[in-house]
Amino acid sequence: KQEVTQIPAALSVPEGENLVLNCSFTDSAIYNLQWFRQDPGKGLTSLLLIQSSQREQTSGRLNASLDKSSGRSTLYIAASQPGDSATYLCAVKNDYKLSFGAGTTVTVRA
Amino acid sequence: DTAVSQTPKYLVTQMGNDKSIKCEQNLGHDTMYWYKQDSKKFLKIMFSYNNKELIINETVPNRFSPKSPDKAHLNLHINSLELGDSAVYFCASSRQETQYFGPGTRLLVL
């Protein structure tokens, strides 16, 4: 059974600082890994998807890396802004389904 | 304009009642999902349908019955509601790998 862990559970940084969010998973036989953002009371928005054959994906200020053999992914958010405050969820795909971590709740202080 | 919509947004009901949650997507996707997010924010897959056929059925009590009348709709009916069913239920859809989530239905069983 796939287990996904995200550390830290919560993070508070001043505006402008870079964010580093960690995700680990127990079964490395994944199809892909996705990072999502969830705002309070809202659904999830897909940020980045990394296929199992890829090492990283970038979108604007966001960069996600994947080390499948060690079961780890890191999401980097450069030059954080108050609008980046949200919960970030990592999910891995095995056997046609996604397994989610509990998320890292980020607060960016103005 | 809403890509994945769910109704109702909020649902408060008594134990033992039967209720339904509806989901519709206008993205032309072939696959739809139901997820449950509990109070600890863990998001878990419940069901997945592809072209109206059930492809994922996790360990969910048989009080939960999904129904897909067509590719654009996936409804969730819950019989004999229990206190532990209180959660946020998310519908999602996908064509390939990226999943698009609805805003969620917040169910409270009293």
Side-chain angles (χ1 to χ4, degrees):
Chain A
K1 178 187 171 186
Q2 179 71 272
E3 291 186 6
V4 183
T5 304
Q6 291 187 245
I7 294 173
L11 190 57
S12 179
V13 299
E15 184 176 2
E17 195 164 299
N18 296 333
L19 289 163
V20 180
L21 310 179
N22 297 300
C23 171
S24 61
F25 46 95
T26 53
D27 182 355
S28 62
I30 65 170
Y31 187 70
N32 62 44
L33 182 145
Q34 299 180 55
W35 283 94
F36 292 87
R37 169 182 172 141
Q38 184 175 25
D39 292 287
K42 301 284 179 65
L44 279 68
T45 301
S46 180
L47 297 173
L48 291 167
L49 184 151
I50 312 176
Q51 300 291 356
S52 61
S53 58
Q54 296 176 317
R55 298 283 292 182
E56 68 175 348
Q57 277 287 349
T58 298
S59 176
R61 294 183 295 112
L62 276 61
N63 174 276
S65 65
L66 173 63
D67 184 343
K68 200 174 75 159
S69 59
S70 66
R72 293 180 184 180
S73 176
T74 302
L75 178 66
Y76 301 89
I77 304 178
S80 61
Q81 303 168 359
D84 294 329
S85 297
T87 296
Y88 292 83
L89 295 158
C90 166
V92 295
K93 186 171 185 179
N94 302 82
D95 301 327
Y96 305 105
K97 66 181 183 183
L98 288 179
S99 299
F100 284 82
T104 294
T105 299
V106 171
T107 303
V108 181
R109 307 186 302 271
Chain B
D1 288 329
T2 303
V4 183
S5 60
Q6 296 178 228
T7 55
K9 189 172 182 180
Y10 299 96
L11 188 52
V12 181
T13 188
Q14 298 287 333
M15 263 176 39
N17 283 351
D18 302 338
K19 291 293 178 185
S20 291
I21 308 172
K22 295 186 176 181
C23 177
E24 177 181 2
Q25 54 96 3
N26 62 7
L27 298 167
H29 290 166
D30 297 326
T31 307
M32 296 184 72
Y33 313 80
W34 275 111
Y35 289 89
K36 178 181 180 180
Q37 188 172 42
D38 61 25
S39 57
K40 294 182 180 178
K41 302 300 182 185
F42 273 105
L43 200 66
K44 292 185 179 177
I45 183 76
M46 300 174 69
F47 301 103
S48 174
Y49 271 71
N50 182 266
N51 285 322
K52 303 192 323 179
E53 297 293 325
L54 180 66
I55 57 172
I56 295 175
N57 183 352
E58 285 297 284
T59 308
V60 177
N62 58 15
R63 297 182 295 104
F64 290 78
S65 53
K67 284 188 172 54
S68 181
D70 55 60
K71 281 186 359 176
H73 297 85
L74 181 62
N75 303 324
L76 183 64
H77 187 75
I78 315 171
N79 289 327
S80 303
L81 278 155
E82 300 177 357
L83 294 177
D85 297 333
S86 296
V88 182
Y89 292 83
F90 287 99
C91 176
S93 72
S94 68
R95 172 173 283 133
Q96 295 179 357
E97 296 305 322
T98 300
Q99 292 191 17
Y100 294 81
F101 281 75
T105 294
R106 284 143 190 84
L107 172 64
L108 177 60
V109 183
L110 303 174

